[in-house]
Amino acid sequence: MTENNREWKEALKSKEAFNDYISNYFKEHKELTGSYDIPSYYEHYTVRLDSHDGLVITLVTGVQSTGGESNVPLPFKQKEVMSIEDFRQLILHKKFADTTQSLADVFQTVAGIPSSDDQSND
C-alpha cells in the first residue's frame, strides 16, 4: 500500500481528519478526473472542491460514434454536490475493503464507473 493510500485510509477514521485530507488534496490538485471508454460508450468524471458547495462531481456519459453515424445522441452531463462528510460516510458504508484503492479509485467507484479490470472482451 502506498503512503497516499495509507494516509487517506487513516483520515477516514475521523470527520476532521478526512475534511483536512480532502481540503489539502484539492489545494494541491485543482481537480480529479477519470474516465471509462469502450468502443461504443464513454463516461468521464471530474471532481473538484468548492468552498461553498463541497465536493462537486460532474459526470459526462455518451455513445461513441461508430463509422458514418450522424444521429449519435449528445452527451449527458450530470452534476452532483455533496459535503465532504457525506462523501466520507458514503465511502464508509460502501466498505471499500481493498486497501490498495487510491482516492481516484474510490471516486470512480462512487461515480459508478467500472474499472478497466471490469471490462469484458465481448
Side-chain angles (χ1 to χ4, degrees), residues 23-38:
S23 297
N24 289 333
Y25 178 88
F26 283 102
K27 282 179 189 172
E28 294 177 24
H29 308 87
K30 184 176 179 170
E31 61 185 24
L32 185 135
T33 60
S35 63
Y36 170 73
D37 289 285
I38 59 174

Side-chain angles (χ1 to χ4, degrees), residues 7-8 23 31 48 56 62 70 79 85-86 88 92 96 101 110:
E7 286 175 17
W8 88 265
S23 297
E31 61 185 24
R48 63 180 179 80
V56 179
S70 60
K79 181 174 149 182
E85 178 57 14
D86 286 347
R88 184 177 84 93
L92 292 173
F96 291 94
Q101 281 193 316
V110 168

Side-chain angles (χ1 to χ4, degrees), residues 22-80:
I22 293 294
S23 297
N24 289 333
Y25 178 88
F26 283 102
K27 282 179 189 172
E28 294 177 24
H29 308 87
K30 184 176 179 170
E31 61 185 24
L32 185 135
T33 60
S35 63
Y36 170 73
D37 289 285
I38 59 174
S40 61
Y41 177 78
Y42 65 88
E43 295 180 353
H44 302 278
Y45 72 91
T46 304
V47 183
R48 63 180 179 80
L49 182 62
D50 181 279
S51 61
H52 181 263
D53 292 329
L55 293 168
V56 179
I57 304 167
T58 305
L59 180 64
V60 177
T61 59
V63 176
Q64 307 272 23
S65 174
T66 56
E69 292 180 39
S70 60
N71 286 347
V72 175
L74 293 174
F76 177 72
K77 185 175 183 179
Q78 182 178 0
K79 181 174 149 182
E80 183 171 338

